Amino acid sequence: MLLKEVNKYLEKHGLILREGSSPIFFVLELGQEMKMIRCSLNSILINGFFFVFAFAWVLYFSGFRDFGAGNDTINYVFAFSQINGPLDAYQTGMSYYGSKEFLFWFLAGVVKVIFGDNPRIWLLINCAISFIGSAIVYLKLSKELGWKYWALLLVLLYFTYQLVFISSYMRQMIAVPFLYLSLHHAYNKNPASAAFFFFMSFSFHYSAILFFPLIFIFLFDFVFLFNKIYAVFAILFGGIFLQLIDFMYPLLSGFGITDKVDLYISQGYQAAMEGRSAVSSLNLVFSAISLICALFFLDKESFIYKVCFYILALFFVFFDFPIILVRLLPYLFILIPFLYLMVVSKFVRSISLRILMGFFLFSLVLVIMMMSYSAKYTLGLL
């Protein structure tokens, strides 16, 4: 009778003690269960520590940056000061800043109503949304890869130029995690969720439209695009790209996307040469190395490989438009820590050594980044 009662209790905790089973076997099984619980608690504590560290890091450098830092912050702050509420936020943002992303300005109007004319709170909320969205993406991808310490990768992410992007590309950096949630749902054949998150991403920054074809590729398994002739495909696609833009102009003009296309095409070379060509070139080289590693070392059927493959195709398509290439970088950089992990895992078995190598490599990237004029200027460190 006692054995049955004990067995009922143990079944609730995943352990079963049958009649005639060895007490030694039971002790070993119980010990294994306790070890798993300890490992789980350790991973929770480690992830909690790195999550808080990464969040504080982002808020310190980006959320609390000087209002005069960089080129755009002061213009965002001025536009925010002119907003009365959610209803007029879109028109005000378009008039005083020039962007037409509805949800970005609607959110600004909501913040204005709740917290008053406090641009600091608005900057902090924007940073928090971008950071938490990225954390959710990292949690999902880490689970698929079987990597427990997802928050550690989050720290490495903001040791790259992504820390600068979150300060200079405010709208896009909110759009990036929403886009990856959309792509991930499309990859897992969830069209409704994919459509919802794509709408959210597009409503924060129009650059998300560049990844719209990839959603269909994932949903309908157009795997023929992911083969060894990607370069030919990209070059051919790039050759007809301007003709497609001409054809689609009437469809896109209502969203203001054509204005952005005209701006990027007419000022692409000029913008790339004015003060930020060095850091842009460095980031592009870093991106090229990352994409090459992805193509050679990643599983060809993995979500990350296919996204990297598509981004590489976009690099070919927009090769003559450097300013568009720079806009693609935040969509690539969010994957950089995962690329490091997946490549290094093929050569280094020790988890501790992978972590140490990661901190050393990304700390080096951080030092180089922080030495650049562009990073100092954007983060208000001059």
Side-chain angles (χ1 to χ4, degrees):
M1 188 69 181
L2 178 61
L3 182 59
K4 291 182 179 180
E5 292 298 324
V6 172
N7 198 39
K8 288 181 181 179
Y9 173 80
L10 294 175
E11 283 179 353
K12 295 181 180 179
H13 296 80
L15 295 170
I16 299 177
L17 181 61
R18 298 181 177 86
E19 294 186 30
S21 63
S22 170
I24 296 178
F25 176 79
F26 168 69
V27 171
L28 290 175
E29 192 174 359
L30 181 61
Q32 185 66 25
E33 185 74 11
M34 294 301 296
K35 183 179 180 180
M36 292 175 61
I37 292 174
R38 285 197 300 270
C39 289
S40 179
L41 288 175
N42 287 339
S43 64
I44 291 174
L45 291 174
I46 291 173
N47 282 321
F49 170 79
F50 283 117
F51 178 87
V52 172
F53 175 83
F55 196 26
W57 177 268
V58 169
L59 291 184
Y60 175 77
F61 282 104
S62 183
F64 286 102
R65 69 186 184 276
D66 188 88
F67 291 148
N71 293 323
D72 296 332
T73 303
I74 190 64
N75 296 322
Y76 275 120
V77 169
F78 178 72
F80 178 78
S81 68
Q82 303 303 309
I83 293 174
N84 295 315
L87 297 181
D88 80 318
Y90 171 75
Q91 188 63 42
T92 303
M94 186 170 58
S95 300
Y96 287 93
Y97 188 82
S99 67
K100 300 179 180 181
E101 287 84 354
F102 168 74
L103 278 183
F104 179 80
W105 294 112
F106 181 82
L107 174 64
V110 172
V111 173
K112 188 71 173 284
V113 169
I114 296 175
F115 297 101
D117 191 13
N118 192 332
R120 176 64 63 199
I121 296 294
W122 182 51
L123 292 182
L124 289 171
I125 289 176
N126 280 307
C127 287
I129 293 174
S130 176
F131 176 84
I132 293 172
S134 299
I136 293 172
V137 172
Y138 268 52
L139 183 59
K140 285 181 174 292
L141 295 182
S142 295
K143 282 184 177 180
E144 290 186 356
L145 295 175
W147 179 254
K148 295 185 296 184
Y149 307 115
W150 59 271
L152 171 60
L153 297 179
L154 200 61
V155 172
L156 300 184
L157 171 66
Y158 294 107
F159 276 15
T160 70
Y161 212 77
Q162 202 81 338
L163 181 66
V164 179
F165 287 144
I166 201 173
S167 300
S168 57
Y169 295 167
M170 284 174 57
R171 291 168 291 135
Q172 185 178 357
M173 291 305 294
I174 297 177
V176 168
F178 281 122
L179 177 71
Y180 269 92
L181 291 174
S182 173
L183 293 176
H184 193 262
H185 280 289
Y187 180 77
N188 289 293
K189 306 298 184 290
N190 298 318
S193 298
F196 170 76
F197 284 112
F198 179 80
F199 169 78
M200 295 290 290
S201 180
F202 181 77
S203 298
F204 276 102
H205 200 264
Y206 289 155
S207 63
I209 196 69
L210 295 171
F211 292 82
F212 188 66
L214 186 56
I215 293 177
F216 281 92
I217 291 171
F218 282 157
L219 287 175
F220 299 104
D221 285 325
F222 294 149
V223 293
F224 63 87
L225 296 179
F226 296 102
N227 54 37
K228 295 182 180 180
I229 62 169
Y230 64 87
V232 176
F233 157 73
I235 292 172
L236 291 176
F237 186 79
I240 63 173
F241 175 68
L242 294 180
Q243 297 180 27
L244 289 175
I245 288 294
D246 289 337
F247 174 75
M248 295 177 65
Y249 253 39
L251 301 176
L252 301 176
S253 59
F255 295 101
I257 298 177
T258 53
D259 298 336
K260 289 291 185 182
V261 173
D262 291 335
L263 176 66
Y264 286 174
I265 291 177
S266 63
Q267 298 184 9
Y269 291 99
Q270 179 182 357
M273 296 299 293
E274 292 181 354
R276 48 178 171 172
S277 59
V279 68
S280 296
S281 299
L282 182 62
N283 280 325
L284 289 174
V285 169
F286 186 49
S287 301
I289 294 173
S290 301
L291 288 172
I292 291 172
C293 290
L295 294 178
F296 278 99
F297 295 106
L298 268 58
D299 177 12
K300 303 301 186 290
E301 296 301 318
S302 69
F303 170 78
I304 293 177
Y305 172 86
K306 291 183 176 182
V307 174
C308 288
F309 184 101
Y310 184 81
I311 292 176
L312 182 61
L314 291 179
F315 268 58
F316 278 101
V317 172
F318 297 105
F319 185 78
D320 286 334
F321 307 106
I323 194 171
I324 300 181
L325 294 183
V326 173
R327 279 291 181 177
L328 286 173
L329 295 183
Y331 294 108
L332 173 62
F333 275 33
I334 194 173
L335 295 178
I336 294 294
F338 287 102
L339 295 181
Y340 162 79
L341 176 66
M342 296 171 77
V343 172
V344 171
S345 296
K346 292 185 176 294
F347 304 98
V348 180
R349 291 183 175 274
S350 171
I351 295 178
S352 300
L353 185 56
R354 291 181 212 166
I355 293 175
L356 289 175
M357 290 173 59
F359 266 110
F360 174 79
L361 176 62
F362 282 84
S363 294
L364 183 61
V365 171
L366 175 65
V367 170
I368 295 173
M369 178 192 74
M370 286 299 192
M371 291 175 61
S372 69
Y373 175 83
S374 174
K376 292 179 181 178
Y377 178 64
T378 304
L379 298 175
L381 301 177
L382 292 176

